[in-house]
Amino acid sequence: MRSIWKWIIGAVAVLLVAAFAGSWYLSRHWKPLLYDKIREAVIRSTDSLYRITYDDLDFSLITGNASIKNLRLTPDSSVYARLQQQQLAPDNRYDIHVASLRIRRFHPRRMLASQQLHIDDIIIDTPAIRVINEYHAYNDTVATERDSRTLYQRISGMLRAVGVQSLQLNNINFRFTKKTDTTLSEMALQHVNLTARDILIDSLSQFDTARFYHTRAIDVDIPGFRWETADSLYFVRFDRLKVATGDKRVVLTGLQYAPAVDRAEFYRRKKAAAEMTTIAFPTIRLENIDLYRFVRNQKIYAGSLHIDSGVVDILKDLRHPRITTNKIGKSPHQLLLKMQQPLKIDSVLLRDVAIRYSEVSAKYGKTGEISFDRTSGVLYNVTNDTLALIQNKSLTARFTSYLMDTGKLDVVFDFDMLDKRGAYTYKGTLGPMDGRSLNSIITPLLNAQITSANIRGVSFVMQADDYRSRGSLRFDYRNMRLNLLTPPGTEGKNSMRVASFLATSFVINDSNPDANDVYHTGTINYRRPETYSFFKTLWKSLLEGVKQCAGISKEREQRLMSTAEEVKEIKEKTGGFFRRIFKKRESRDSER
């Protein structure tokens, strides 16, 4: 019995040695064959544009595992130049270097026997990927003749099917270079992770619309990124970017656009009363995005964009010289049309965004602030695509916000995207609020104070373009009282009380309807100065209607905005008048 077991053990040992020896022998002799097959596959599938090289390839027929060292996929510059002359060159070129690539359960015999290559897992660690983008207009035309074969058709002469269950790229270093006739710009990303699942290239998968470039799903995870503007005044950063092709979703978290320097340094460099802007959105989500279109030509086409909470903070210091550039043709919808980034989003949804505007007074040196809190809304047909605008030329925006976190404000905008004069309409309503809430912007900038104002509601309907705003406004309020404050560094509280009394009694109507039960409606016909921005034009146009409802004529407004010297004159005249009266009374009392 012992001798039988010795023979059995010996036979098994001989078989194992023979198997390993055979595997070693076949591996050594198959390496050149596989190298030639791989090179041929890359050349044929890319029309000779790419070449593939590597230092060493090890695999085992028994385990079905393989590894490759120093794999390099590089474009052939001479072939690319020839394709450019033939107007067949793609917009994107790829230069890829991988120090180590591991393949699990790879079976070359099956590839040679049945022309099918199936792999369980491919793991690529720390690859360096460079994408060179060079736009060619002929790629957008359907008349261009080019090789229209699918990827399967290109490899079908050598392989009937290629399948990979999982492809992992860990810690990718990515660089995107964009070339134009005059400029060269680059963007770099590090520590990116990518996972592709269920890759299949065969006669049926090429027509499977549920797949993205032959994959069932690709997940991309990009960690934190920071980029500074050319002038180093601003930076852009985000915490994480995730792309899921299976869900057609892109999620960006921790987005921030903010000054890279403090306020003093910002205005020292700007040397002008420029707007200092901070934008922070915790989460931005793109749904139903067309990733094919984005990969091919960097066009962003999506079903919806969601912005969930956030802050938009704008500060302007008027103690510095004002910027007097021409703002005609620079309204938001016109800037959208001029964007170089092609864009088409069916709807943009905002939820709970806080918008603040602050201004430092040139005269008083104080900071006034107005806020639009809990802003939510929807923008429809946000696009600069000419073909899409021919079908629907309107960009519609509906917003609900709370002015100074109290008065509910509902506004609807309708922009004519194809009108050469930038035509648009807007209408809205403001609900009841205490007018004293507006003192945070009125007092620092105008050195005045609303002591009481029961605002019952505001409504307006407007038509506007680059040059003029027309419309009507209704302003219902009760018991408005205004207090003009003493200018800093001066005396004369009594005179300001007199001026406040005169302003409230004779300059503005304390209610609408007024004391005579006459209701005042604002009829607006406002000509826009070329240096006024879109939002300043909105404010100035509506202010015209508000002043008419308050009964403030140009003459009355001049009295309301009188200087300190005029207030002093009022004091002297009224003070002399009262002194004469009291002196007469005192002389009469003494005679008695």
Side-chain angles (χ1 to χ4, degrees):
M1 288 294 294
R2 290 182 179 179
S3 60
I4 294 175
W5 280 109
K6 288 180 179 180
W7 281 104
I8 293 174
I9 294 172
V12 170
V14 170
L15 291 174
L16 288 175
V17 171
F20 278 105
S23 175
W24 174 83
Y25 176 81
L26 291 175
S27 296
R28 286 183 59 87
H29 286 78
W30 277 11
K31 283 184 180 182
L33 179 61
L34 285 175
Y35 183 75
D36 292 339
K37 288 287 185 180
I38 293 172
R39 289 183 61 189
E40 181 185 353
V42 171
I43 292 172
R44 292 182 59 182
S45 62
T46 64
D47 290 331
S48 302
L49 178 58
Y50 289 94
R51 296 288 186 271
I52 190 170
T53 61
Y54 53 82
D55 290 349
D56 191 22
L57 185 152
D58 291 324
F59 65 89
S60 170
L61 292 176
I62 295 177
T63 62
N65 296 335
S67 64
I68 301 176
K69 295 181 179 179
N70 289 325
L71 176 67
R72 190 74 183 255
L73 180 71
T74 56
D76 189 317
S77 58
S78 61
V79 174
Y80 188 78
R82 174 172 55 80
L83 292 175
Q84 282 183 308
Q85 293 178 352
Q86 298 172 350
Q87 294 192 348
L88 296 174
D91 289 349
N92 292 327
R93 282 172 286 165
Y94 304 90
D95 191 337
I96 302 173
H97 175 257
V98 177
S100 174
L101 181 150
R102 292 171 289 158
I103 300 175
R104 294 177 179 174
R105 284 172 288 280
F106 161 63
H107 302 285
R109 286 186 303 175
R110 187 176 181 182
M111 180 183 70
L112 296 176
S114 61
Q115 291 185 312
Q116 293 186 10
L117 176 60
H118 289 277
I119 301 171
D120 285 358
D121 301 290
I122 299 177
I123 303 172
I124 303 173
D125 292 320
T126 319
I129 302 173
R130 184 186 182 190
V131 179
I132 304 172
N133 176 264
E134 193 168 355
Y135 174 72
H136 301 294
Y138 51 76
N139 284 327
D140 294 335
T141 63
V142 296
T144 302
E145 293 184 4
R146 59 172 56 250
D147 189 350
S148 59
R149 293 178 301 165
T150 64
L151 181 57
Y152 169 73
Q153 290 171 335
R154 296 185 184 190
I155 68 169
S156 60
M158 184 176 58
L159 292 172
R160 294 170 52 195
V162 176
V164 180
Q165 291 184 14
S166 174
L167 169 64
Q168 297 180 35
L169 289 87
N170 302 321
N171 198 24
I172 303 169
N173 294 316
F174 176 82
R175 186 155 57 106
F176 180 83
T177 303
K178 188 176 183 65
K179 288 184 175 182
T180 65
D181 294 337
T182 57
T183 61
L184 177 69
S185 60
E186 288 194 339
M187 181 188 70
L189 296 173
Q190 295 181 334
H191 311 303
V192 178
N193 296 313
L194 183 149
T195 301
R197 297 188 297 274
D198 189 9
I199 304 171
L200 181 61
I201 305 172
D202 63 10
S203 59
L204 297 179
S205 66
Q206 60 182 325
F207 304 112
D208 189 350
T209 57
R211 291 180 176 271
F212 178 71
Y213 285 99
H214 297 279
T215 68
R216 186 64 66 185
I218 299 177
D219 296 323
V220 182
D221 184 4
I222 302 175
F225 170 78
R226 178 186 170 104
W227 174 79
E228 286 196 0
T229 57
D231 58 8
S232 300
L233 287 178
Y234 283 94
F235 69 86
V236 180
R237 64 174 297 274
F238 61 80
D239 293 336
R240 189 165 296 276
L241 173 64
K242 290 186 176 182
V243 181
T245 66
D247 300 326
K248 296 182 179 180
R249 177 183 298 164
V250 176
V251 179
L252 183 65
T253 57
L255 176 66
Q256 187 177 12
Y257 170 80
V261 296
D262 59 23
R263 183 192 299 186
E265 178 65 14
F266 180 88
Y267 282 104
R268 188 189 69 80
R269 295 193 195 177
K270 281 291 186 180
K271 299 178 181 179
E275 292 180 347
M276 188 175 179
T277 304
T278 300
I279 300 174
F281 294 134
T283 304
I284 296 179
R285 189 173 74 256
L286 269 173
E287 299 283 2
N288 197 27
I289 185 172
D290 187 341
L291 291 167
Y292 275 110
R293 198 186 300 259
F294 179 76
V295 172
R296 284 197 302 266
N297 43 35
Q298 291 77 58
K299 294 182 177 180
I300 300 177
Y301 283 59
S304 60
L305 171 66
H306 302 256
I307 299 177
D308 299 326
S309 74
V311 173
V312 177
D313 199 337
I314 302 172
L315 169 70
K316 179 180 286 189
D317 193 337
L318 297 181
R319 292 174 298 180
H320 300 272
R322 294 177 183 264
I323 300 176
T324 57
T325 57
N326 192 322
K327 300 295 179 65
I328 300 298
K330 297 181 180 179
S331 296
H333 62 299
Q334 294 170 317
L335 295 177
L336 173 62
L337 283 173
K338 296 175 182 178
M339 281 180 58
Q340 294 183 355
Q341 172 65 61
L343 183 72
K344 184 180 184 302
I345 303 176
D346 295 339
S347 58
V348 176
L349 295 88
L350 304 177
R351 184 180 65 85
D352 197 23
V353 176
I355 303 172
R356 292 193 297 265
Y357 176 78
S358 303
E359 192 170 280
V360 181
S361 169
K363 186 174 182 179
Y364 303 111
K366 297 181 179 179
T367 303
E369 179 181 293
I370 187 170
S371 67
F372 299 88
D373 303 280
R374 293 176 281 160
T375 302
S376 300
V378 184
L379 294 86
Y380 298 99
N381 195 36
V382 180
T383 181
N384 53 17
D385 185 292
T386 304
L387 294 178
L389 290 173
I390 290 175
Q391 297 177 357
N392 180 9
K393 66 177 183 178
S394 295
L395 189 161
T396 303
R398 301 175 180 272
F399 297 107
T400 295
S401 186
Y402 290 85
L403 179 60
M404 309 305 291
D405 205 25
T406 57
K408 184 181 179 183
L409 177 64
D410 293 297
V411 185
V412 178
F413 289 90
D414 195 312
F415 299 95
D416 187 338
M417 300 294 290
L418 299 181
D419 186 81
K420 294 182 179 180
R421 295 171 63 90
Y424 60 97
T425 64
Y426 60 100
K427 60 182 179 180
T429 59
L430 174 66
M433 65 178 293
D434 188 337
R436 291 176 296 179
S437 301
L438 299 173
N439 282 328
S440 62
I441 190 169
I442 290 176
T443 301
L445 301 183
L446 300 179
N447 209 42
Q449 185 181 55
I450 297 176
T451 57
S452 68
N454 179 16
I455 298 176
R456 295 188 173 185
V458 179
S459 63
F460 50 89
V461 178
M462 300 290 295
Q463 292 182 333
D465 56 29
D466 277 336
Y467 305 97
R468 192 170 291 276
S469 300
R470 296 180 176 89
S472 61
L473 182 141
R474 297 174 64 90
F475 180 24
D476 301 327
Y477 64 94
R478 296 290 185 274
N479 193 30
M480 180 181 289
R481 292 290 184 271
L482 182 67
N483 183 22
L484 301 181
L485 303 178
T486 303
T490 64
E491 300 296 335
K493 292 184 179 180
N494 293 332
S495 64
M496 297 310 294
R497 291 195 187 100
V498 173
S500 300
F501 169 76
L502 294 175
T504 303
S505 301
F506 302 106
V507 178
I508 63 174
N509 298 329
D510 67 346
S511 300
N512 191 23
D514 61 19
N516 299 319
D517 204 28
V518 175
Y519 188 84
H520 298 265
T521 301
T523 301
I524 302 168
N525 187 356
Y526 181 76
R527 183 177 180 180
R528 174 190 181 181
E530 292 181 348
T531 58
Y532 278 19
S533 67
F534 171 80
F535 293 104
K536 186 172 184 178
T537 303
L538 294 185
W539 160 242
K540 288 291 186 177
S541 302
L542 296 178
L543 182 61
E544 287 294 311
V546 170
K547 289 190 294 185
Q548 292 179 36
C549 292
I552 305 176
S553 63
K554 291 184 178 180
E555 294 76 13
R556 284 185 169 187
E557 183 180 2
Q558 183 63 38
R559 291 172 62 184
L560 179 62
M561 303 301 293
S562 60
T563 61
E565 287 75 16
E566 290 172 327
V567 171
K568 183 178 180 180
E569 183 180 349
I570 293 174
K571 173 193 173 184
E572 292 174 352
K573 291 181 179 180
T574 55
F577 172 75
F578 286 115
R579 281 195 300 272
R580 287 194 296 272
I581 292 179
F582 286 117
K583 283 183 178 180
K584 290 180 180 179
R585 179 175 296 179
E586 290 174 358
S587 61
R588 290 174 183 173
D589 292 339
S590 62
E591 291 177 356
R592 293 177 182 176

